Amino acid sequence: ELYAKAADQLADFQPEQLAQLVWAAAKQLEAAHLASSQRRASPSGLDQGGPSPVAVLAVHKTLLQQAVPHLIRRLGDMGTADLSMAAWAIGYAVLRDPQLVGALSAAATRAAPRLTAQGVATLLWAAARLEVVDEALLDALCTTGAKVMIRDLQPGPLSMALWALATMCVSGEQRGVRAVVARHQTLVQ
C-alpha cells in the first residue's frame, strides 16, 4: 500500500527522493530474488512463511516501471551519490527503456568528473548490466575511473569496475567497446 501511494506522487518527488525510492525498490527486488533462491534450495522444501517472493517481485518491478518517466525527467538534476543509487537500481532491475538509458548516459557523462571511485564503479556496472554502448559515457567514466581508482586503490570499486569492463568487452566485441577500453589501459593495468 505504501508503494501504491508513492507511485501516485512520483511527479512530486525531489531528485534525491526519487533516487532513494528506486534504490529501495531495487533492493527489495534483490531481497526477493535471494528469498526465492533460498526457498528453492531449502532441504525441506517447505515454505518458511512471509510474502511470496513472486508477489514482492511484481510490486517492486511495477513501481520501478512507473518511475521510469520521472527518472528520465530528473536524472540530470541528481547529485553524484543519488545518480549512482538510481543507476544501480536501473541496472539491477535491467530497465532498458531507450529514453531512460539515454538520460542516464547523458547525466552520468556530465557527472563523471565529480564521481568517487564507488560512483564510477557503480555507473560502469549499470552500463554493463544494461549493455550500454555509449562511447562518450565510457570515455568519461574511464578517464575519471583511472584517476580515482589509482588514487584511492579501493578493492571493492576496483573489482566492480574491472568486472564491468570485462563484461562489456565480451558482450560488446562488435560494438566498439573494446576500442574504448583500449584507450584507457591505465584503468585495466
Side-chain angles (χ1 to χ4, degrees), residues 38-46:
Q38 287 174 340
R39 284 183 184 191
R40 284 192 303 270
S42 171
S44 68
L46 297 176

Side-chain angles (χ1 to χ4, degrees), residues 9-10 40-41 59 61 65 91 99 107 115 121 125 161 175 178:
Q9 298 177 0
L10 284 170
R40 284 192 303 270
V59 168
K61 192 74 169 177
Q65 289 294 339
Q99 287 182 302
L115 290 169
W125 178 87
R175 296 179 292 184
R178 283 184 180 221

Side-chain angles (χ1 to χ4, degrees), residues 12 14 43 78 84 88 98 127 149 156 158 176 183:
D12 299 330
Q14 294 299 313
M78 291 182 183
S84 293
W88 183 88
M149 298 283 175
L158 183 59
R183 286 196 296 270

Side-chain angles (χ1 to χ4, degrees), residues 76 83 100-111 134 137:
L83 181 61
L100 178 60
V101 171
L104 178 60
S105 288
T109 300
R110 285 190 305 276
D134 179 331
L137 170 64

Side-chain angles (χ1 to χ4, degrees), residues 9-78:
Q9 298 177 0
L10 284 170
D12 299 330
F13 277 42
Q14 294 299 313
E16 63 276 1
Q17 295 167 323
L18 186 58
Q20 291 166 0
L21 179 71
V22 297
W23 180 84
K27 287 300 277 184
Q28 290 298 316
L29 279 180
E30 183 181 46
H33 282 131
L34 180 62
S36 179
S37 66
Q38 287 174 340
R39 284 183 184 191
R40 284 192 303 270
S42 171
S44 68
L46 297 176
D47 186 354
Q48 304 296 320
S52 159
V54 173
V56 172
L57 286 169
V59 168
H60 293 92
K61 192 74 169 177
T62 299
L63 176 64
L64 286 162
Q65 289 294 339
Q66 291 171 332
V68 166
H70 305 286
L71 284 165
I72 291 168
R73 187 171 53 85
R74 301 308 295 265
L75 279 169
D77 300 330
M78 291 182 183

